[in-house]
Amino acid sequence: MIRAAVMGWPVSQSRSPLIHGYWLKQFDIKGDYGRVAIEPDRAGDFFARFADSGLIGGNVTIPYKEVAARAAYHRTPIVERVGAANTLWIEDSVLHADNTDGTGFAANLDERAPGWDRTPGEALVLGAGGAAAAVVDVLIDRGFSVRIVNRTLSRAEVLAARYPGRAHADVLSEANRYAATAGFVVNTTSLGMKGDGAIDLDMSVIPEDAVVTDIVYVPLVTPFLGMAAARGLRTVDGLGMLLHQAVPGFEHWFGRRPSVTAELRALIEADL
């Protein structure tokens, strides 16, 4: 039986097994997709010895995307650029790594906010972690000028330095200053998840034609998105990113390319 899993710490909250289980059933594939919780003190060794794990591949979630990228023998260009991986697979007996967060992020917006990048201007990105790196990369690719704000300035500066002249860094407390001219605003931090604080951003200063999105999907409508919607701004939740980023991995592991459907989305929404 082909086995894959989502790997992280913690990992119990992940809906990835539900997504891949749906596709396995749809294609009548004898496979399994589960969860592997990896304690921080053994993460480096686990990914270094991934070929011995009994898994053909899997998804990497917080906080191990950078660790997984470093452990891979072969890295796709996006992984080389952003230094983080969310999709792993064994090929020719060695570990390969990809990052599909950016493609999933863009596919979600293309589906639920058509035209969001038609006239790319300034984008404000809250956070500078592994997911933010993929989001910034795709925003740059779509033509945006990006401002990254983060609680730890140095981390934002490292990310911005990969795109000289196209991305700039500042501290999170300065977010309102840049929101006033941003046509696109995205939260990539864990703030807004159930029980994990809130984002102090003044939605009233954001241009009325801006698009606001959050990569957090539990709750589906985060306080961040709720405030944006109350202001009348166009919003996109983070669930579609989760669904779309899963497609390439499933194809790697199980040999069939699935589709993101309304039925699948409804299944995951019902479990949130």
Side-chain angles (χ1 to χ4, degrees):
M1 178 181 288
I2 302 170
R3 293 184 63 242
V6 58
M7 298 156 281
W9 184 262
V11 77
S12 60
Q13 80 286 353
S14 175
R15 269 67 180 187
S16 291
L18 194 57
I19 297 169
H20 292 286
Y22 172 88
W23 287 331
L24 286 168
K25 183 177 180 181
Q26 181 183 60
F27 289 116
D28 194 25
I29 294 172
K30 288 181 171 55
D32 179 71
Y33 186 101
R35 296 180 177 89
V36 177
I38 306 167
E39 296 86 351
D41 61 356
R42 70 181 188 96
D45 186 62
F46 176 87
F47 290 109
R49 300 175 179 273
F50 189 84
D52 300 325
S53 68
L55 300 171
I56 186 64
N59 291 118
V60 184
T61 186
I62 54 174
Y64 300 134
K65 293 182 179 184
E66 290 90 349
V67 176
R70 291 193 297 268
Y73 177 83
H74 182 274
R75 293 176 283 271
T76 60
I78 176 66
V79 175
E80 293 284 6
R81 287 197 301 275
V82 306
N86 76 328
T87 303
L88 304 177
W89 69 98
I90 296 293
E91 185 178 327
D92 298 327
S93 301
V94 297
L95 184 62
H96 289 237
D98 193 9
N99 191 315
T100 65
D101 280 334
T103 55
F105 175 77
N108 182 36
L109 286 158
D110 290 341
E111 177 186 347
R112 305 188 75 81
W116 68 279
D117 61 343
R118 187 172 296 125
T119 55
E122 295 181 31
L124 175 62
V125 177
L126 310 180
V135 167
V136 170
D137 193 76
V138 79
L139 287 173
I140 295 292
D141 183 64
R142 294 287 182 108
F144 286 88
S145 172
V146 179
R147 177 69 61 170
I148 307 158
V149 293
N150 193 54
R151 282 182 289 193
T152 304
L153 176 60
S154 59
R155 186 153 191 174
E157 288 175 332
V158 168
L159 178 51
R162 296 173 184 157
Y163 309 94
R166 301 290 305 281
H168 308 275
D170 210 331
V171 290
L172 186 60
S173 58
E174 291 294 316
N176 287 330
R177 173 181 164 196
Y178 303 111
T181 55
F184 184 86
V185 181
V186 53
N187 172 44
T188 73
T189 75
S190 61
L191 293 172
M193 294 180 82
K194 290 182 177 177
D196 196 5
I199 297 166
D200 183 21
L201 186 68
D202 183 2
M203 294 291 174
S204 70
V205 305
I206 299 176
E208 62 182 16
D209 59 347
V211 174
V212 178
T213 187
D214 197 327
I215 69 168
V216 171
Y217 60 90
V218 181
L220 191 61
V221 179
T222 62
F224 181 73
L225 290 183
M227 290 188 297
R231 162 83 202 291
L233 301 172
R234 186 162 53 149
T235 63
V236 179
D237 63 63
L239 180 56
M241 176 179 173
L242 174 73
L243 300 176
H244 285 284
Q245 65 80 30
V247 171
F250 188 92
E251 185 176 22
H252 275 303
W253 312 318
F254 302 111
R256 301 289 296 272
R257 187 168 183 85
S259 298
V260 174
T261 62
E263 182 181 58
L264 174 60
R265 182 181 171 92
L267 175 71
I268 306 304
E269 279 192 27
D271 190 63
L272 298 179

